[in-house]
Amino acid sequence: FNGEPKLAAYTMRNLFEGDWRVFLVEDETSCQPGNKFRAEVFVFNPYLRTIPPELAVDWRIVRGSRTLADGVLAAPKNTRERAIPVGTVEWTIPEGAAGMYTLHTELIDSRGDLLHANQTHFGAGEVVVPGVLFLSAKRGGTAVEALVELDNRRLQVYADPGLIIPLPEGMYRLNVWFDHQQRELEVEITSGQATRTTVEFE
């Protein structure tokens, strides 16, 4: 009603954006320490193209600014299916873990270029309320699409609704790119609050 951006809006936009896409199907998003978090990883191929060589999904489990586990899943070659399974991510949640964790994935080509990024968030143990970052990029007052790097994670910033991402409380350094221009900034995320930031480009 008020035109406010929502995490669901970003999630839906991300599912429908891009030639090649990566999507995740997790078993559970409320997990217990000592148990396993598990998610199946798929490449979505809406135009039924032949899989390019060396297409892969880089994945990592992160908590705030820390990477706790990572790996690479290679996409199968010479297939033209619409939904292509590339593997499963499993991670044993440490005893005593508490708060929000993220499985971050990047679909990359043979040159390492980012084709699509996606992530899913899951809680472990005691509930700790995250904050939310609302990031937009503008040139001359008009919203534009950009790319942000957050603690070695790359994510798309859409013109609408921007980038909306839950994050554990803390300080974060961001690098934002648009049309060969780069901006660096630092943002503070507070539990249970929204942090809104707009990056201006020339």
Side-chain angles (χ1 to χ4, degrees):
F1 181 78
N2 295 316
E4 291 291 326
K6 297 176 177 64
L7 181 59
Y10 177 80
T11 301
M12 291 302 296
R13 175 65 185 269
N14 198 37
L15 287 173
F16 286 92
E17 184 76 14
D19 188 353
W20 297 95
R21 306 167 204 166
V22 58
F23 66 95
L24 310 166
V25 182
E26 65 273 26
D27 287 352
E28 183 70 49
T29 56
S30 296
C31 305
Q32 296 302 317
N35 292 348
K36 280 190 177 181
F37 168 80
R38 181 179 180 277
E40 294 180 67
V41 181
F42 294 83
V43 169
F44 185 52
N45 179 15
Y47 302 111
L48 299 179
R49 303 182 193 274
T50 300
I51 288 280
E54 298 181 30
L55 191 71
V57 176
D58 278 358
W59 65 266
R60 67 191 70 171
I61 303 284
V62 297
R63 168 85 169 95
S65 299
R66 293 177 53 222
T67 296
L68 305 172
D70 58 16
V72 178
L73 299 171
K77 299 177 181 178
N78 301 320
T79 183
R80 296 177 64 178
E81 299 174 36
R82 186 177 300 275
I84 303 161
V86 295
T88 301
V89 172
E90 289 189 342
W91 180 62
T92 301
I93 300 166
E95 295 290 346
M100 189 192 80
Y101 295 78
T102 298
L103 168 60
H104 175 79
T105 58
E106 296 180 6
L107 182 63
I108 57 173
D109 63 15
S110 59
R111 297 175 299 180
D113 290 339
L114 177 68
L115 302 180
H116 191 257
N118 201 0
Q119 52 190 353
T120 186
H121 311 283
F122 60 98
E126 179 185 351
V127 174
V128 178
V129 178
V132 178
L133 173 63
F134 291 75
L135 176 68
S136 58
K138 291 186 177 181
R139 180 176 64 179
T142 300
V144 295
E145 298 200 347
L147 182 71
V148 63
E149 183 178 328
L150 164 66
D151 295 321
N152 296 316
R153 290 180 275 166
R154 297 178 292 180
L155 290 160
Q156 290 96 346
V157 181
Y158 299 119
D160 180 26
L163 170 65
I164 309 171
I165 180 174
L167 292 168
E169 186 170 276
M171 296 295 296
Y172 295 86
R173 299 183 71 82
L174 309 176
N175 289 303
V176 186
W177 285 272
F178 168 74
D179 193 26
H180 305 292
Q181 300 177 60
Q182 179 186 356
R183 299 285 185 272
E184 295 182 9
L185 66 149
E186 191 172 66
V187 296
E188 183 175 4
I189 301 298
T190 303
S191 176
Q193 296 185 19
T195 299
R196 298 174 185 274
T197 302
T198 299
V199 182
E200 293 283 351
F201 290 93
E202 299 175 356

